[in-house]
Amino acid sequence: MTVAWTVSVTMALICDLIAAMMHLVVRLDHELRGAVLFKELVLYSAAVIGVVSLVLALVAYRVRRTPPPTGVIVFGVCVAAAPILALIVR
């Protein structure tokens, strides 16, 4: 369970970084319609993975005999919640 949670956090982080990079690319050139679509797709993917990651964090926290370190939990929750909040704010 812990491995699944950390993999989902890593995937959410990668999707977050790609979405941020594509946001900068789109701001530089507004004519790239494919880049806009790719940015939206990656942001939506990051939000879906973020929801899965939050659920897995709760399960991993309850299943493990010793809970994960607090810093790792805070980082994972922040990474998972960032794309969800980005979609809500828009």
Side-chain angles (χ1 to χ4, degrees):
M1 195 52 60
T2 304
V3 173
W5 173 57
T6 56
V7 168
S8 68
V9 169
T10 304
M11 260 331 277
L13 178 64
I14 290 169
C15 287
D16 288 344
L17 293 175
I18 291 172
M21 181 182 64
M22 292 309 296
H23 179 75
L24 294 175
V25 168
V26 168
R27 287 188 67 146
L28 292 175
D29 189 2
H30 298 288
E31 300 296 322
L32 298 174
R33 293 181 186 208
V36 173
L37 180 63
F38 183 65
K39 177 190 78 151
E40 297 296 325
L41 180 65
V42 171
L43 185 61
Y44 178 73
S45 300
V48 170
I49 294 169
V51 168
V52 171
S53 179
L54 289 173
V55 170
L56 286 173
L58 287 173
V59 173
Y61 191 78
R62 292 180 186 232
V63 169
R64 288 181 54 144
R65 289 184 188 183
T66 59
T70 305
V72 175
I73 292 174
V74 170
F75 177 76
V77 168
C78 289
V79 166
I84 298 167
L85 292 176
L87 286 176
I88 290 172
V89 168
R90 281 197 307 160

